[in-house]
Amino acid sequence: LIKAAQNNTLTLVIFIDLDNFKQINDTLGHLVGDMVLIETTQRLQRIITPSSTLSRFGGDEFLLIIPDLKNSNDAKHIAATILALFELSFVSNNQEFFISTSIGMAVYPYDGTTSQQLLANADIAMYKVKEDGRNAFSFYNADMNIDVQRMLTLDSHLRQAITNKELELYYQPIIDLKTEKIIGAEALMRWNDSEYGFIPPDEFIPIAEKNGLIHQLGDFALNTACSQAAKWQKISPLQISVNFSSVQFRYYERLLSQIQKALESSSLPPQKLDIEITESLLFDHNDGVITMLNKLQSMGAQLTIDDFGTGYSALSYLQKFPFDRLKIDREFLTDMRYSEEKRELVSAIIAMAKALNLEIVAEGIEDNWHANYLKEMGCGLGQGYYYSRPVPAKEFEVILKQGINGNTL
Ligand code: C2E
Ligand code: CA
Ligand code: CA
């Protein structure tokens, strides 16, 4: 950077991250993972000039620094060359597989004048590529900066949100499709920020997962939902479903004791707590997690696999984990009426869930057609706007007392 400043030249900083490297490690083993890293290095070495610096930055991240960059076209050319290196397959034990990369770039002095700024901005650009679907490159630029500003502000506001009482749980009824009775409720978090207003959980949960606040948010959801459900037992013996992030399971021993505490202090019977976890946990677990889930189940709590069908639902994982219930992701229902393919997928999921003795919930039921179709296919439970949107506790209580009757809501 000192040289670049003296000579008035550009320096390109490139972050190269392998896509889904974790899966290679998990499915093919660490030796194959090591082989991929070594071969990646060799491929990269082939295309760089002697004045460039290539390093392995950590894990599956590589850093490439290129001095004397002429213009952004040259940078694009380099990035495209790197992407093309991965059009070639990797081979191990006669097995052939492909890995793509995500590339983020920052240019001195436009995107930063210190190494810290440049690294951070190349990293941000790389994450942008990941979010947009991987196997591509991106520059760090001003547009991205705006997104990042919002994220940084939300990040710092979120720290205060719990103490400022800006977080609230909404509840969406879960219905027995045959009797149309409410058998449960899913607790869904809502955040009303002083500056940005209503922030959807799809935006703030990932932030909380990155900055570690997910543990506090999770405790809040768990304790609030349990004590609310305990009060509602007098009206109806409903079960409460609480969402858990796989990040919360990194400290599974702490999580287990938090769940036990929440049940004790609310006096909610464990049978009335349903723990929703997503497929990503299945991929990202260690054996302690399975032991912990088994403990929860033997305490009487129920375990649900959430968003089923959106990730990598290997059958072997489903059997290894002690699930009671499977939730079909609402994505499958969106155009099910007009798509035979979707209908066949849903019927395959239902058949599989039955074979594994799992109770089935369909989420995203938006009309009568959905409700009837799923009922006929043998799906027992459902939730969706057709029955009720997620509503604040007070409104939910009214619905609980009146019961659900389809469109009249
Ligand atoms: P999810 O677990 O898949 O939750 C269901 C989402 O579907 C909710 O979105 C709900 O409002 C929406 N939904 C329900 N019925 C319908 C329908 O008929 N049509 C459509 N289009 N949507 C429907 P919401 O509340 O925005 O939550 C989004 C996601 O945020 C949740 O997805 C969950 O992954 C996460 N989340 C929410 N609360 C928590 C929480 O307390 N902890 C954790 N870890 N994650 C949470
Ligand atoms: Ca859920
Ligand atoms: Ca879902």
Side-chain angles (χ1 to χ4, degrees):
L1 291 185
I2 293 167
K3 258 194 210 158
Q6 282 167 353
N7 304 339
N8 223 350
T9 53
L10 307 177
T11 304
L12 177 64
V13 176
I14 310 184
F15 252 121
I16 305 160
D17 190 278
L18 303 182
D19 298 328
N20 302 317
F21 181 68
K22 188 163 172 27
Q23 262 163 264
I24 300 280
N25 266 336
D26 287 353
T27 53
L28 301 173
H30 288 253
L31 281 179
V32 178
D34 289 352
M35 184 281 283
V36 167
L37 292 176
I38 292 167
E39 195 169 327
T40 297
T41 312
Q42 290 165 345
R43 289 184 189 189
L44 288 169
Q45 273 168 337
R46 253 183 267 143
I47 59 147
I48 60 171
T49 55
S51 58
S52 313
T53 307
L54 174 67
S55 75
R56 178 177 172 215
F57 204 65
D60 56 349
E61 272 185 2
F62 294 84
L63 181 71
L64 185 54
I65 300 167
I66 297 177
D68 300 322
L69 183 77
K70 285 196 200 75
N71 51 43
S72 65
N73 260 348
D74 271 9
K76 279 184 201 161
H77 182 76
I78 295 166
T81 311
I82 296 172
L83 287 179
L85 287 178
F86 293 88
E87 280 162 16
L88 257 166
S89 65
F90 289 81
V91 181
S92 160
N93 295 330
N94 293 325
Q95 260 202 60
E96 190 185 30
F97 53 92
F98 290 87
I99 292 192
S100 60
T101 53
S102 296
I103 299 175
M105 296 187 286
V107 180
Y108 171 89
Y110 307 134
D111 300 329
T113 49
T114 65
S115 56
Q116 267 162 329
Q117 283 169 343
L118 289 165
L119 286 175
N121 290 343
D123 198 38
I124 287 165
M126 195 264 291
Y127 269 99
K128 180 85 181 158
V129 174
K130 294 256 181 217
E131 264 170 31
D132 292 348
R134 302 155 196 267
N135 192 23
F137 62 81
S138 166
F139 286 103
Y140 175 82
N141 62 36
D143 290 317
M144 278 183 209
N145 208 6
I146 293 168
D147 288 349
V148 170
Q149 201 48 56
R150 178 180 161 104
M151 203 191 84
L152 291 177
T153 313
L154 290 181
D155 183 307
S156 74
H157 285 195
L158 194 53
R159 290 169 202 280
Q160 322 278 302
I162 300 178
T163 29
N164 292 353
K165 299 207 157 59
E166 292 167 1
L167 291 173
E168 190 182 358
L169 284 188
Y170 275 38
Y171 299 88
Q172 184 176 40
I174 297 177
I175 312 290
D176 179 324
L177 294 180
K178 262 198 203 131
T179 62
E180 298 213 318
K181 287 217 163 77
I182 298 175
I183 61 103
E186 178 174 6
L188 294 157
M189 212 181 289
R190 297 290 178 261
W191 178 25
N192 210 334
D193 176 60
S194 52
E195 184 179 339
Y196 288 108
F198 177 79
I199 319 285
D202 286 331
E203 185 173 358
F204 71 80
I205 297 285
I207 295 178
E209 286 176 338
K210 282 192 200 113
N211 67 15
L213 281 174
I214 189 68
H215 303 286
Q216 279 159 267
L217 257 53
D219 289 347
F220 165 80
L222 177 66
N223 286 310
T224 313
C226 285
S227 55
Q228 190 57 259
K231 283 181 205 141
W232 283 336
Q233 294 302 307
K234 290 187 206 90
I235 309 171
S236 152
L238 92 172
Q239 202 178 34
I240 188 81
S241 300
V242 180
N243 290 288
F244 287 82
S245 153
S246 55
V247 174
Q248 289 173 268
F249 284 86
R250 282 191 202 147
Y251 306 97
Y252 53 86
E253 275 158 348
R254 176 192 177 274
L255 186 60
L256 176 64
S257 82
Q258 289 299 115
I259 295 173
Q260 284 163 333
K261 269 188 223 154
L263 288 169
E264 270 162 33
S265 65
S266 65
S267 316
L268 183 73
Q271 289 72 19
K272 299 297 175 192
L273 175 64
D274 171 38
I275 294 166
E276 293 197 2
I277 51 189
T278 54
E279 286 173 329
S280 60
L281 181 68
L282 312 195
F283 236 90
D284 223 356
H285 74 282
N286 65 37
D287 288 340
V289 170
I290 299 187
T291 314
M292 177 241 185
L293 292 175
N294 280 318
K295 264 187 210 154
L296 282 171
Q297 198 176 47
S298 54
M299 271 162 53
Q302 179 169 290
L303 298 175
T304 293
I305 174 143
D306 200 2
D307 294 349
F308 187 81
T310 54
Y312 305 90
S313 333
L315 271 176
S316 57
Y317 283 129
L318 267 190
Q319 275 189 317
K320 210 156 132 192
F321 283 80
F323 291 115
D324 304 285
R325 202 187 256 184
L326 176 152
K327 200 176 239 193
I328 306 174
D329 192 66
R330 66 179 187 274
E331 205 264 318
F332 288 96
L333 270 69
T334 37
D335 53 359
M336 184 169 82
R337 191 166 182 175
Y338 310 101
S339 156
E340 199 188 328
E341 202 187 321
K342 285 265 176 77
R343 287 199 296 277
E344 283 185 353
L345 279 173
V346 169
S347 96
I349 294 175
I350 292 177
M352 188 202 65
K354 283 193 170 160
L356 291 169
N357 247 326
L358 300 173
E359 217 178 3
I360 311 157
V361 202
E363 105 190 332
I365 296 186
E366 292 192 348
D367 53 37
N368 197 23
W369 185 88
H370 277 148
N372 284 330
Y373 186 82
L374 287 157
K375 189 166 59 185
E376 269 160 38
M377 304 248 298
C379 173
L381 307 172
Q383 70 187 92
Y385 295 171
Y386 174 60
Y387 297 109
S388 166
R389 288 184 179 255
V391 293
K394 272 204 182 122
E395 270 176 61
F396 185 86
E397 197 167 311
V398 175
I399 299 173
L400 196 58
K401 285 176 180 157
Q402 286 174 352
I404 287 276
N405 29 30
N407 287 326
T408 54
L409 270 165

